[in-house]
Amino acid sequence: MHQLHAQDDTSAPGTLIWHALRPGSTRLSLCGLLLEPRPNALPARSDDPYASDRYCLSCMETVRAAMTATIRQPTAD
């Protein structure tokens, strides 16, 4: 399982982008970014209809590929 970690989104000031951490790491994301600790990061507020969380596409693609490979592995009978 991958842990998500929020980082300030430099392309959209005032918003966060979520990255998946490499297994066993507390700061290195799957896309190779070294993340700064952000202990109080929360998902976008659900009461704001225009708020949405942003996710690193590179990190999410790596997670998707790992999950797909796990699901498609043949089982030994």
Side-chain angles (χ1 to χ4, degrees):
M1 179 181 293
H2 293 285
Q3 182 179 6
L4 295 178
H5 185 98
Q7 190 71 27
D8 289 317
D9 187 353
T10 57
S11 66
T15 61
L16 298 174
I17 186 166
W18 293 85
H19 293 271
L21 294 178
R22 291 181 187 236
S25 178
T26 59
R27 295 186 56 207
L28 188 59
S29 69
L30 293 174
C31 67
L33 188 63
L34 188 60
L35 305 173
E36 293 299 320
R38 209 180 154 94
N40 297 325
L42 297 173
R45 294 185 355 214
S46 60
D47 60 338
D48 182 351
Y50 300 105
S52 65
D53 290 328
R54 297 180 61 147
Y55 297 89
C56 172
L57 295 178
S58 179
C59 286
M60 294 302 110
E61 177 60 27
T62 302
V63 170
R64 184 199 65 77
M67 291 176 68
T68 301
T70 301
I71 293 169
R72 290 185 180 172
Q73 285 183 351
T75 57
D77 291 325

